Amino acid sequence: MHDELSVGRDPGCLLRLDDPKVSRRHATLHPSAGGITIRDEGSLNGTWVNDGRIAGSRALAAGDRVRIGGSEFVVDDAGGDGLPVGTTTEAEPAGSGATRTVLVGSGDVTP
C-alpha cells in the first residue's frame, strides 16, 4: 500500500501520463480514512476539479471530476476497502477511448 499516488510524466510517478500538457511531477493524491485529497505540485497547466483550477490541496468527493492534461478522472466511492476509486478516461490521443482503474490507497493501477 502506498501513502500517496504521484501523477505526472516522470518515470517515477505511480500514475504516469504520457502527455505534453502534464508536468513531470504534476499532482499527488493522498488517501485517508475520510477520502482522498489531491494536491497540485506547481504544475504549469494546472490540476482541475469540476472545471475549476485548484491551488494547493483540495478534498475530493464521489462524483468529482479531476482533469490533468488530457486525462479525466472521476472519483467513485465504490472501493472495496472504503477508499474512493478513480476511473480514468484518456482524452489523448483523441478518440482512443482507453480507460484504466486507479485504486488509490491500495497502490494498484489496472490497465
Side-chain angles (χ1 to χ4, degrees):
M1 178 182 289
H2 297 282
D3 293 332
E4 62 183 31
L5 189 142
S6 53
V7 182
R9 286 184 297 117
D10 190 276
C13 288
L14 292 175
L15 179 57
R16 189 167 178 272
L17 301 175
D18 188 19
D19 179 340
K21 297 176 189 170
V22 174
S23 296
R24 291 180 58 80
R25 298 290 244 173
H26 198 101
T28 305
L29 294 164
H30 297 274
S32 70
I36 295 178
T37 300
I38 189 165
R39 181 179 68 229
D40 183 83
E41 299 293 351
S43 66
L44 181 62
N45 292 313
T47 299
W48 299 75
V49 177
N50 300 328
D51 296 323
R53 187 172 181 162
I54 67 167
S57 295
R58 183 183 190 286
L60 298 175
D64 280 348
R65 291 179 340 276
V66 177
R67 185 167 35 96
I68 297 175
S71 296
E72 184 171 274
F73 306 78
V74 178
V75 178
D76 176 357
D77 67 357
D81 58 3
L83 294 175
V85 177
T87 302
T88 70
T89 302
E90 301 295 334
E92 293 191 0
S96 70
T99 61
R100 67 185 144 180
T101 301
V102 179
L103 304 177
V104 179
S106 69
D108 298 332
V109 178
T110 307

